[in-house]
Amino acid sequence: MKATPRTTPAASPKLAKAPHVIRIIGGQWRRTRLAVADKPGLRPTPDRVRETLFNWLASLAGAGGGELPGWHCIDAFAGTGALGLEAASRGAASVLLCEQDAALVAQLQALKGKLAAEAVRIERGNGVTLLERTPAGSMHAVFLDPPFENAALYEPALRAAARALRPDGVVYLEAARRWSDEELAALGLAAYRYLKAGAVHAHLLILATDSTA
């Protein structure tokens, strides 16, 4: 009879793997819940990191109120869509979400409809390929948050993102390690801001110039 109560705590670790939610932090869809599916490699950007990132971006935009008016953005490894939808919530003119997983694409499409997010476009496909065919010099912001375990994606994604940027554009890179100035310079980029939160290394990058390379 004593064995029955002892089995109850054993079920608790399974709860940690269950789908959970995150929220959009600012803008017109503030506090909107985004479901996080229990999928390998799906690792939404932590709230504190997203808040800091969008404070950085709003400062660059210079519009006040955390807004990004007129910005054109790509979230190349969208997952939950947290980064791209945050940008759209803050007034970005266009946001393209790219994701390979069919179930996540369907989830993003449903959320786009629920929010009536006219500025958001969703494409199923490879984020690097998408960036490589993006018109050069057209993007204000490119969000790169590939699965940490897929290290081979990072260099081609960064190179393609640099090509897609406007002269005043930025790349947000989330990685399992800090990228060095030398590595970034070889890809045409330079560090502008950086923070570490737990296992996440968050970089805000700008195009390298003669003075930053």
Side-chain angles (χ1 to χ4, degrees), residues 72-120:
H72 298 278
C73 310
I74 290 178
D75 189 349
F77 304 92
T80 63
L83 292 170
L85 289 170
E86 186 78 41
S89 179
R90 294 168 183 261
S94 71
V95 177
L96 176 54
L97 306 178
C98 184
E99 173 55 48
Q100 282 193 314
D101 186 279
L104 292 176
V105 168
Q107 182 174 294
L108 291 170
Q109 293 283 12
L111 189 57
K112 169 181 163 69
K114 175 184 175 183
L115 297 173
E118 296 298 328
V120 173

Side-chain angles (χ1 to χ4, degrees), residues 15-192:
L15 298 177
K17 296 182 180 179
H20 56 287
V21 297
I22 57 176
R23 287 175 171 80
I24 293 176
I25 295 167
Q28 62 177 322
W29 304 320
R30 184 180 180 185
R31 299 191 182 92
T32 296
R33 293 156 63 94
L34 307 177
V36 180
D38 184 14
K39 286 182 173 287
L42 186 60
R43 174 192 35 77
T45 303
D47 286 357
R48 181 169 80 85
V49 175
R50 277 190 294 126
E51 185 169 10
T52 300
L53 166 63
F54 281 91
N55 285 341
W56 290 342
L57 297 182
S59 176
L60 290 171
E67 294 293 300
L68 307 174
W71 278 38
H72 298 278
C73 310
I74 290 178
D75 189 349
F77 304 92
T80 63
L83 292 170
L85 289 170
E86 186 78 41
S89 179
R90 294 168 183 261
S94 71
V95 177
L96 176 54
L97 306 178
C98 184
E99 173 55 48
Q100 282 193 314
D101 186 279
L104 292 176
V105 168
Q107 182 174 294
L108 291 170
Q109 293 283 12
L111 189 57
K112 169 181 163 69
K114 175 184 175 183
L115 297 173
E118 296 298 328
V120 173
R121 187 159 63 90
I122 300 162
E123 183 172 317
R124 185 182 179 193
N126 181 286
V128 175
T129 302
L130 171 71
L131 288 169
E132 288 174 344
R133 58 180 171 80
T134 297
S138 62
M139 290 292 119
H140 290 83
V142 175
F143 301 106
L144 299 180
D145 183 13
F148 280 178
E149 64 273 14
N150 203 339
L153 285 174
Y154 282 82
E155 186 171 321
L158 284 165
R159 192 181 302 278
R163 175 188 163 279
L165 280 193
R166 293 163 46 99
D168 57 349
V170 291
V171 174
Y172 171 70
L173 170 66
E174 195 166 303
R177 65 175 179 86
R178 184 170 188 171
W179 280 62
S180 71
D181 292 342
E182 292 75 18
E183 289 175 301
L184 294 170
L187 300 170
L189 294 163
Y192 179 71

